[in-house]
mmCIF file of all heavy atoms in Angstrom:
data_model
loop_
_atom_site.group_PDB
_atom_site.id
_atom_site.type_symbol
_atom_site.label_atom_id
_atom_site.label_comp_id
_atom_site.label_asym_id
_atom_site.label_seq_id
_atom_site.Cartn_x
_atom_site.Cartn_y
_atom_site.Cartn_z
ATOM 1 N N GLN X 1 2.976 4.619 27.459
ATOM 2 C CA GLN X 1 3.352 5.640 26.462
ATOM 3 C C GLN X 1 2.171 5.926 25.528
ATOM 4 O O GLN X 1 1.414 5.045 25.157
ATOM 5 C CB GLN X 1 4.558 5.288 25.634
ATOM 6 C CG GLN X 1 5.883 5.542 26.333
ATOM 7 C CD GLN X 1 6.209 7.009 26.367
ATOM 8 O OE1 GLN X 1 5.624 7.796 25.776
ATOM 9 N NE2 GLN X 1 7.215 7.336 27.153
ATOM 10 N N VAL X 2 2.033 7.231 25.129
ATOM 11 C CA VAL X 2 1.029 7.621 24.196
ATOM 12 C C VAL X 2 1.726 8.310 23.035
ATOM 13 O O VAL X 2 2.618 9.141 23.214
ATOM 14 C CB VAL X 2 0.024 8.580 24.850
ATOM 15 C CG1 VAL X 2 -0.944 9.142 23.782
ATOM 16 C CG2 VAL X 2 -0.755 7.882 25.953
ATOM 17 N N HIS X 3 1.325 7.963 21.807
ATOM 18 C CA HIS X 3 1.926 8.553 20.633
ATOM 19 C C HIS X 3 0.860 9.401 19.945
ATOM 20 O O HIS X 3 -0.256 8.882 19.673
ATOM 21 C CB HIS X 3 2.438 7.452 19.719
ATOM 22 C CG HIS X 3 3.156 7.960 18.542
ATOM 23 N ND1 HIS X 3 4.302 8.803 18.610
ATOM 24 C CD2 HIS X 3 3.017 7.686 17.218
ATOM 25 C CE1 HIS X 3 4.747 9.067 17.416
ATOM 26 N NE2 HIS X 3 3.988 8.440 16.524
ATOM 27 N N LEU X 4 1.189 10.653 19.620
ATOM 28 C CA LEU X 4 0.229 11.544 19.003
ATOM 29 C C LEU X 4 0.815 12.063 17.654
ATOM 30 O O LEU X 4 1.934 12.431 17.573
ATOM 31 C CB LEU X 4 0.034 12.796 19.886
ATOM 32 C CG LEU X 4 -0.489 12.550 21.337
ATOM 33 C CD1 LEU X 4 -0.474 13.791 22.163
ATOM 34 C CD2 LEU X 4 -1.830 11.884 21.277
ATOM 35 N N VAL X 5 -0.031 11.957 16.648
ATOM 36 C CA VAL X 5 0.334 12.436 15.328
ATOM 37 C C VAL X 5 -0.670 13.434 14.779
ATOM 38 O O VAL X 5 -1.841 13.077 14.596
ATOM 39 C CB VAL X 5 0.435 11.222 14.302
ATOM 40 C CG1 VAL X 5 0.837 11.690 12.931
ATOM 41 C CG2 VAL X 5 1.485 10.196 14.853
ATOM 42 N N CYS X 22 -5.613 14.946 15.178
ATOM 43 C CA CYS X 22 -4.600 14.361 16.058
ATOM 44 C C CYS X 22 -4.997 12.933 16.443
ATOM 45 O O CYS X 22 -6.030 12.741 17.080
ATOM 46 C CB CYS X 22 -4.476 15.202 17.347
ATOM 47 S SG CYS X 22 -3.350 14.400 18.602
ATOM 48 N N ALA X 23 -4.250 11.952 15.872
ATOM 49 C CA ALA X 23 -4.532 10.534 16.115
ATOM 50 C C ALA X 23 -3.641 10.072 17.276
ATOM 51 O O ALA X 23 -2.425 10.261 17.284
ATOM 52 C CB ALA X 23 -4.261 9.779 14.873
ATOM 53 N N ALA X 24 -4.302 9.438 18.253
ATOM 54 C CA ALA X 24 -3.582 8.947 19.413
ATOM 55 C C ALA X 24 -3.482 7.393 19.362
ATOM 56 O O ALA X 24 -4.383 6.703 18.900
ATOM 57 C CB ALA X 24 -4.342 9.342 20.679
ATOM 58 N N SER X 25 -2.305 6.867 19.810
ATOM 59 C CA SER X 25 -2.163 5.473 19.868
ATOM 60 C C SER X 25 -1.311 5.146 21.139
ATOM 61 O O SER X 25 -0.696 6.016 21.703
ATOM 62 C CB SER X 25 -1.435 4.900 18.613
ATOM 63 O OG SER X 25 -0.178 5.533 18.461
ATOM 64 N N GLY X 26 -1.305 3.831 21.488
ATOM 65 C CA GLY X 26 -0.559 3.442 22.668
ATOM 66 C C GLY X 26 -1.496 3.319 23.854
ATOM 67 O O GLY X 26 -2.638 2.847 23.784
ATOM 68 N N SER X 27 -1.047 3.751 25.009
ATOM 69 C CA SER X 27 -1.814 3.575 26.293
ATOM 70 C C SER X 27 -2.804 4.682 26.426
ATOM 71 O O SER X 27 -2.688 5.490 27.356
ATOM 72 C CB SER X 27 -0.819 3.528 27.496
ATOM 73 O OG SER X 27 0.126 2.498 27.338
ATOM 74 N N ILE X 28 -3.817 4.696 25.580
ATOM 75 C CA ILE X 28 -4.729 5.831 25.544
ATOM 76 C C ILE X 28 -5.870 5.672 26.560
ATOM 77 O O ILE X 28 -6.609 6.622 26.784
ATOM 78 C CB ILE X 28 -5.296 6.012 24.144
ATOM 79 C CG1 ILE X 28 -6.027 4.756 23.725
ATOM 80 C CG2 ILE X 28 -4.157 6.326 23.132
ATOM 81 C CD1 ILE X 28 -6.791 4.876 22.383
ATOM 82 N N TYR X 106 1.741 14.210 27.159
ATOM 83 C CA TYR X 106 2.328 13.784 25.885
ATOM 84 C C TYR X 106 2.090 14.868 24.786
ATOM 85 O O TYR X 106 1.024 15.492 24.805
ATOM 86 C CB TYR X 106 1.720 12.431 25.373
ATOM 87 C CG TYR X 106 1.908 11.386 26.442
ATOM 88 C CD1 TYR X 106 0.839 11.076 27.336
ATOM 89 C CD2 TYR X 106 3.056 10.584 26.460
ATOM 90 C CE1 TYR X 106 1.025 10.051 28.274
ATOM 91 C CE2 TYR X 106 3.209 9.590 27.403
ATOM 92 C CZ TYR X 106 2.174 9.341 28.299
ATOM 93 O OH TYR X 106 2.317 8.338 29.239
ATOM 94 N N TRP X 107 3.044 14.968 23.867
ATOM 95 C CA TRP X 107 2.932 15.999 22.855
ATOM 96 C C TRP X 107 3.142 15.345 21.446
ATOM 97 O O TRP X 107 3.980 14.424 21.336
ATOM 98 C CB TRP X 107 3.969 17.087 23.001
ATOM 99 C CG TRP X 107 3.742 17.935 24.229
ATOM 100 C CD1 TRP X 107 4.290 17.712 25.473
ATOM 101 C CD2 TRP X 107 2.941 19.099 24.366
ATOM 102 N NE1 TRP X 107 3.842 18.672 26.353
ATOM 103 C CE2 TRP X 107 3.001 19.526 25.703
ATOM 104 C CE3 TRP X 107 2.107 19.779 23.446
ATOM 105 C CZ2 TRP X 107 2.294 20.658 26.134
ATOM 106 C CZ3 TRP X 107 1.433 20.877 23.905
ATOM 107 C CH2 TRP X 107 1.529 21.315 25.212
ATOM 108 N N GLY X 108 2.472 15.879 20.461
ATOM 109 C CA GLY X 108 2.767 15.494 19.113
ATOM 110 C C GLY X 108 3.899 16.346 18.527
ATOM 111 O O GLY X 108 4.467 17.191 19.252
ATOM 112 N N GLN X 109 4.204 16.118 17.338
ATOM 113 C CA GLN X 109 5.360 16.784 16.693
ATOM 114 C C GLN X 109 5.006 18.250 16.157
ATOM 115 O O GLN X 109 5.865 18.968 15.853
ATOM 116 C CB GLN X 109 5.939 15.958 15.528
ATOM 117 C CG GLN X 109 5.188 16.097 14.204
ATOM 118 C CD GLN X 109 3.813 15.404 14.206
ATOM 119 O OE1 GLN X 109 3.440 14.687 15.096
ATOM 120 N NE2 GLN X 109 3.098 15.590 13.103
#
Side-chain angles (χ1 to χ4, degrees):
Q1 276 288 350
V2 174
H3 187 53
L4 304 172
V5 178
C22 172
S25 61
S27 301
I28 61 174
Y106 304 94
W107 294 92
Q109 82 287 353

